[in-house]
Amino acid sequence: MPSISWRARTVQASPIRKLKPLADQARRAGKRVYHLNIGQPDIPTPKEYFDGIRQAAQGVLAYSPSQGLDEALDALAEYYRTFGIALSRDEMIVTTGGSEAITFALLAVTDVGDAILVPEPFYTNYNSYAQITGIQIVPIETRAEDGFRLPDKKTIEAKISPKIKAILFCNPGNPTGVVYTKAELAMLAEVAHKHNLYLIADEVYREFTYDGAQAISVLQLPNLEDRAILVDSISKRFSACGARIGVIASKNASVMESALKFAQARLSPPTLEQYGLIHLLRSSQYQNFVREMIAEFARRRDLVYAELQKMPGVICTKPQGAFYVTAKLPVEDAEHFVRWLLTDFSLDNETVMLAPAAEFYATPGKGRDEVRIAYVLNTDALQRAMRVLREGLLAYTNSPVMQV
Amino acid sequence: MPSISWRARTVQASPIRKLKPLADQARRAGKRVYHLNIGQPDIPTPKEYFDGIRQAAQGVLAYSPSQGLDEALDALAEYYRTFGIALSRDEMIVTTGGSEAITFALLAVTDVGDAILVPEPFYTNYNSYAQITGIQIVPIETRAEDGFRLPDKKTIEAKISPKIKAILFCNPGNPTGVVYTKAELAMLAEVAHKHNLYLIADEVYREFTYDGAQAISVLQLPNLEDRAILVDSISKRFSACGARIGVIASKNASVMESALKFAQARLSPPTLEQYGLIHLLRSSQYQNFVREMIAEFARRRDLVYAELQKMPGVICTKPQGAFYVTAKLPVEDAEHFVRWLLTDFSLDNETVMLAPAAEFYATPGKGRDEVRIAYVLNTDALQRAMRVLREGLLAYTNSPVMQV
């Protein structure tokens, strides 16, 4: 048998999805499993999105232009304008999800053997995009105890080598819930200028901010037109994860011409889904939808944070954005605990699934006692899930068998 | 300004799509342009597909599993069974178009710096997938004069080096219209066994065969379970190019585990589109749809081939499959001629757009006098387009200005 490639052997299986068989097993055993392990919200997708799909669902389902439908680009331009971001058609490409937007950005600015800086913990699939594009991730370390704020400029600059071509960061942050301040972003911009790096900002959680925090877009920063690249997605803000519609945007024409060539290779993003987006963005309803959804997520965040505060030995900061909280647990091996919750524990026949955080870190050993909790269920379900977690944590930490 | 990557500078702009601005210009000047340059058929997508989308267009538009919805995998298994191909769920992954299926196959079996053999001329986007995955394409030369049949085994084996990990081929062939014989496929299988290579077959045109020719799937070949990889797409057979639904399938568990890890990185293929496919494949109508569509394409092929035969100096073989014919024209530079048709020529205010074939070749200089014609319009439109081509060709070859 011919062998498979080194990159296939070494690319990670999704740490978020790899425990799914255990969850399936728990379900088959009759347990209810609260899924706080994956960023799939339970909020119904806006009706206007589906209306747009229905209206377009006829005739020939043709390729769209590789760059996306003109109407989709125009509707997106309008959307960005509400944030004070002016983008022309040529400065955007509709991508097949945010995943593809990140891949295009990396292909455009790095070659095989290059590297990028990424604040850790980071969205674990960045590892896969790095593996697919043949580059290294050099982590900028941040810590739960410091609320995952960025370190100072000197610490970041110490990580820079000629191989580093870009800084990739997620703002608001998955899995940290951090929203970067103007000062933090200005500092990143300064580093990018001084060391001739691109700044790639993953802003798929733009609207998910709480307590008056506001996410500043990389495209709103001054004098950064030549090196700012926005990667975006409608998955979270319109609760349309299954649409697979994202965006890459930049004022740097070479970057966009490059991304377009990669986009042409895969022909087009899904056509009907773009019509859904166009119809939604043209309706007056979408901003209300987002507003109400964020209010709901704020309640969820408050609940989850309050419950975590009550659990002995749990350390976390109140997240300001996105819909995750990364928490340190009083356990040695959070993955073992997460597995145990699925295989050995239940409360009133219910259990909970979390994402072990170790694989959100590039630094070996870090995050081993942390989990990421996605507060993507309604408050009733979250209340029950938090109860299961609290009791599970007590049972686990008190069980002599579990003291590894 | 930081520079863009070498791979971005060198990846090709789609030769099929790069002349679009000239076509837009012709249209703005009031000309009708017959698009025979791109494999986008005019056949309405089956109603059952759209019905499936409509029924599913509600609630939460969630990620599907990375591998695809179970129901989609089961419906696909049924589809393949009608060709005598038995596939279990684990032997398939639903991909975002055939493009992604090819990329996953290449990532799974090659590393950066490796190479693959591909009979040329080949679907030009293979160049982009090779560039994205950091590998080389080594062409197996075939010629219009020989009807693009494969050369003998010795000629193919002479191309093999330790860097070659797979043979990628398209059957029925884009852009050649070739359908490989049992003997040709057996020869490729023999080469694959002897030199420990994978066989990756792009079979998106499976049903598009004429005059009783039948496309044999790589998964129907004996003793090839460990090295056969099928890449597939619903774009052509269900006239659903904009759906972005493809398949990678193999009996080699390591290949499928590898592909699944790459699939997890991009989360999921479009969800609603899978429901469209499920509903279509479960209906009793889809086989009728395909049968009628193929009959229509057979008429188109006959018309285009007959018209090309009448044009002095044009050389081509009657294609047995797919919906393309690659023809040698009595011109020196087919791209110049294609541009000229858009910018300088019209007949009754109509013109035609073709794909210059040079970029379907990896060997420099080859195919310079060839074009690919996609017969994707109805017979009336094709008749007019062929008339434009005939007159255009006469005018071009008789024009002293155009004698380069």
Side-chain angles (χ1 to χ4, degrees):
Chain A
M1 196 187 307
S3 62
I4 60 161
S5 65
W6 170 83
R7 56 187 166 194
R9 285 194 301 274
T10 50
V11 71
Q12 70 183 8
S14 167
I16 300 171
R17 293 180 173 232
K18 77 177 175 186
L19 303 179
K20 187 175 170 289
L22 297 185
D24 291 344
Q25 205 177 302
R27 220 174 353 256
R28 277 196 299 273
K31 286 190 214 174
R32 174 167 183 183
V33 180
Y34 293 107
H35 279 275
L36 307 185
N37 59 305
I38 188 164
Q40 170 57 65
D42 63 342
I43 309 274
T45 310
K47 185 183 157 298
E48 291 76 11
Y49 182 88
F50 290 129
D51 287 346
I53 298 250
R54 276 206 192 81
Q55 286 165 25
Q58 54 178 304
V60 181
L61 180 51
Y63 293 121
S64 85
S66 298
Q67 198 190 342
L69 294 165
D70 280 348
E71 304 94 302
L73 295 168
D74 292 346
L76 284 164
E78 270 306 313
Y79 162 78
Y80 287 115
R81 208 184 314 275
T82 64
F83 294 91
I85 301 166
L87 286 167
S88 68
R89 281 186 190 169
D90 285 351
E91 292 165 346
M92 294 177 283
I93 294 171
V94 179
T95 59
T96 308
S99 319
E100 188 177 76
I102 296 177
T103 305
F104 287 170
L106 296 180
L107 287 170
V109 308
T110 67
D111 278 307
V112 170
D114 283 342
I116 57 172
L117 287 181
V118 185
E120 82 171 359
F122 53 81
Y123 176 45
T124 178
N125 279 351
Y126 291 174
N127 284 314
S128 306
Y129 311 138
Q131 176 77 319
I132 288 169
T133 58
I135 64 169
Q136 299 295 315
I137 288 180
V138 175
I140 300 169
E141 297 179 39
T142 75
R143 307 182 330 138
E145 293 83 344
D146 310 331
F148 299 111
R149 307 309 321 183
L150 286 180
D152 64 10
K153 194 174 151 195
K154 236 173 74 182
T155 309
I156 293 175
E157 286 188 289
K159 297 276 191 173
I160 293 175
S161 74
K163 292 213 168 287
I164 304 280
K165 303 294 183 205
I167 306 173
L168 166 63
F169 62 98
C170 184
N171 180 38
N174 172 9
T176 60
V178 160
V179 179
Y180 289 128
T181 62
K182 210 168 188 171
E184 281 172 306
L185 291 169
M187 186 261 284
L188 288 179
E190 218 180 300
V191 173
H193 274 298
K194 184 164 163 201
H195 300 275
N196 205 27
L197 309 178
Y198 285 97
L199 273 190
I200 307 172
D202 174 350
E203 301 181 0
V204 307
Y205 297 98
R206 178 174 301 112
E207 288 88 348
F208 294 81
T209 57
Y210 313 109
D211 303 336
Q214 267 212 315
I216 302 166
S217 173
V218 75
L219 295 183
Q220 292 171 314
L221 301 178
N223 305 318
L224 219 62
E225 291 78 8
D226 58 345
R227 64 195 67 230
I229 303 174
L230 165 66
V231 294
D232 212 340
S233 163
I234 71 165
S235 290
K236 313 298 178 179
R237 72 179 60 107
F238 301 137
S239 203
C241 293
R244 314 313 300 126
I245 295 290
V247 178
I248 178 171
S250 177
K251 298 270 176 191
N252 179 319
S254 303
V255 167
M256 293 312 293
E257 280 159 27
S258 302
L260 184 58
K261 291 194 283 181
F262 295 115
Q264 288 175 339
R266 60 56 164 143
L267 303 172
S268 89
T271 300
L272 285 178
E273 311 292 340
Q274 294 180 70
Y275 282 109
L277 175 63
I278 293 162
H279 195 260
L280 173 61
L281 286 177
R282 282 182 183 167
S283 84
S284 52
Q285 291 310 305
Y286 89 83
Q287 286 175 320
N288 291 337
F289 170 84
V290 171
R291 198 173 307 116
E292 284 166 25
M293 180 180 64
I294 301 305
E296 167 66 14
F297 273 103
R299 287 188 289 274
R300 296 174 177 191
R301 179 199 66 146
D302 291 345
L303 185 158
V304 166
Y305 181 69
E307 291 300 321
L308 288 173
Q309 289 298 98
K310 290 183 210 159
M311 298 181 202
V314 172
I315 298 171
C316 69
T317 315
K318 197 167 187 179
Q320 294 177 281
F323 45 59
Y324 306 99
V325 54
T326 293
K328 239 186 218 313
L329 304 184
V331 303
E332 206 161 314
D333 180 349
E335 180 170 334
H336 185 270
F337 173 61
V338 167
R339 288 174 179 271
W340 177 89
L341 282 173
L342 293 171
T343 53
D344 285 63
F345 184 74
S346 69
L347 185 69
D348 301 337
N349 220 21
E350 298 183 334
T351 191
V352 62
M353 187 170 180
L354 312 171
E359 298 189 61
F360 294 87
Y361 288 85
T363 307
K366 280 199 72 181
R368 213 170 157 240
D369 56 352
E370 297 175 12
V371 290
R372 185 192 75 170
I373 298 170
Y375 41 96
V376 290
L377 303 181
N378 67 53
T379 45
D380 283 351
L382 277 179
Q383 191 77 59
R384 298 179 71 90
M386 287 294 112
R387 191 171 145 255
V388 171
L389 175 59
R390 185 180 66 231
E391 296 301 319
L393 204 47
L394 276 175
Y396 183 83
T397 49
N398 288 330
S399 152
V401 192
M402 295 306 149
Q403 304 300 331
V404 188
Chain B
M1 196 188 307
S3 62
I4 60 162
S5 64
W6 170 84
R7 57 186 165 195
R9 284 195 302 274
T10 51
V11 72
Q12 69 182 9
S14 167
I16 302 172
R17 293 180 173 232
K18 77 177 175 185
L19 302 179
K20 187 175 170 290
L22 297 185
D24 291 344
Q25 207 178 300
R27 222 177 346 258
R28 276 196 299 273
K31 286 190 216 174
R32 175 168 182 183
V33 181
Y34 294 106
H35 279 275
L36 307 186
N37 59 305
I38 188 165
Q40 169 58 63
D42 63 343
I43 309 277
T45 310
K47 186 184 158 296
E48 291 76 11
Y49 182 88
F50 290 131
D51 288 346
I53 299 248
R54 277 207 190 82
Q55 286 165 25
Q58 55 178 304
V60 182
L61 180 50
Y63 293 121
S64 84
S66 298
Q67 198 190 341
L69 294 165
D70 281 348
E71 303 94 303
L73 295 167
D74 292 346
L76 284 164
E78 270 307 313
Y79 163 78
Y80 287 115
R81 208 184 314 275
T82 64
F83 294 91
I85 302 167
L87 286 167
S88 69
R89 281 186 189 169
D90 284 352
E91 292 164 346
M92 294 177 283
I93 294 172
V94 179
T95 58
T96 309
S99 319
E100 188 177 76
I102 295 177
T103 306
F104 287 170
L106 295 180
L107 288 170
V109 308
T110 67
D111 277 307
V112 170
D114 283 342
I116 58 172
L117 288 182
V118 185
E120 82 170 357
F122 53 80
Y123 176 47
T124 179
N125 279 349
Y126 291 173
N127 284 315
S128 307
Y129 311 137
Q131 177 77 318
I132 288 169
T133 58
I135 65 169
Q136 300 295 314
I137 288 181
V138 175
I140 300 169
E141 296 178 42
T142 75
R143 306 180 333 136
E145 292 84 344
D146 309 331
F148 300 112
R149 307 309 320 182
L150 286 180
D152 64 10
K153 195 174 150 193
K154 237 173 75 181
T155 309
I156 295 176
E157 286 189 289
K159 298 276 191 173
I160 293 176
S161 73
K163 291 215 169 285
I164 304 280
K165 303 295 183 205
I167 305 173
L168 167 63
F169 62 98
C170 184
N171 181 39
N174 172 7
T176 60
V178 159
V179 179
Y180 289 128
T181 61
K182 210 169 188 171
E184 281 173 306
L185 292 169
M187 186 260 285
L188 288 180
E190 217 179 300
V191 173
H193 273 298
K194 183 164 162 200
H195 299 276
N196 205 27
L197 308 178
Y198 286 97
L199 273 192
I200 306 172
D202 174 350
E203 302 181 359
V204 307
Y205 297 98
R206 177 173 302 111
E207 287 88 348
F208 294 81
T209 57
Y210 314 109
D211 302 335
Q214 268 211 315
I216 301 166
S217 172
V218 75
L219 294 183
Q220 292 171 313
L221 301 178
N223 304 319
L224 219 62
E225 291 77 8
D226 58 345
R227 64 194 67 229
I229 303 175
L230 165 67
V231 294
D232 212 339
S233 164
I234 71 164
S235 289
K236 313 299 178 178
R237 73 178 59 107
F238 301 136
S239 202
C241 293
R244 315 315 298 128
I245 294 291
V247 178
I248 178 172
S250 177
K251 298 269 177 192
N252 179 318
S254 302
V255 166
M256 293 311 293
E257 280 160 27
S258 301
L260 184 58
K261 290 193 284 181
F262 295 114
Q264 288 175 338
R266 60 60 164 139
L267 302 172
S268 89
T271 300
L272 285 179
E273 310 292 341
Q274 294 180 71
Y275 282 108
L277 175 63
I278 293 162
H279 194 260
L280 173 61
L281 287 177
R282 281 182 183 166
S283 83
S284 52
Q285 291 310 306
Y286 89 85
Q287 286 175 320
N288 291 338
F289 170 84
V290 172
R291 199 173 305 116
E292 284 166 27
M293 180 180 63
I294 301 305
E296 167 65 14
F297 274 103
R299 286 188 290 273
R300 296 174 177 191
R301 178 199 65 146
D302 290 345
L303 185 157
V304 166
Y305 180 69
E307 291 301 322
L308 289 173
Q309 290 297 99
K310 289 184 211 160
M311 298 181 202
V314 172
I315 299 172
C316 68
T317 314
K318 197 167 187 179
Q320 294 176 283
F323 46 59
Y324 306 99
V325 54
T326 292
K328 239 184 217 318
L329 303 184
V331 302
E332 206 160 313
D333 181 348
E335 179 168 333
H336 185 271
F337 172 60
V338 167
R339 288 174 178 273
W340 177 88
L341 282 173
L342 293 170
T343 54
D344 286 60
F345 184 74
S346 68
L347 185 69
D348 300 338
N349 221 20
E350 300 184 332
T351 192
V352 63
M353 187 170 180
L354 311 172
E359 299 189 62
F360 294 87
Y361 288 85
T363 307
K366 281 199 71 181
R368 212 170 158 241
D369 56 353
E370 298 175 11
V371 290
R372 186 192 72 172
I373 298 170
Y375 41 96
V376 291
L377 302 181
N378 66 54
T379 46
D380 283 351
L382 277 179
Q383 190 78 58
R384 297 179 72 89
M386 287 294 112
R387 192 172 144 254
V388 171
L389 176 59
R390 186 181 64 230
E391 298 300 320
L393 204 47
L394 275 175
Y396 183 84
T397 49
N398 289 330
S399 153
V401 191
M402 294 307 149
Q403 303 300 331
V404 189

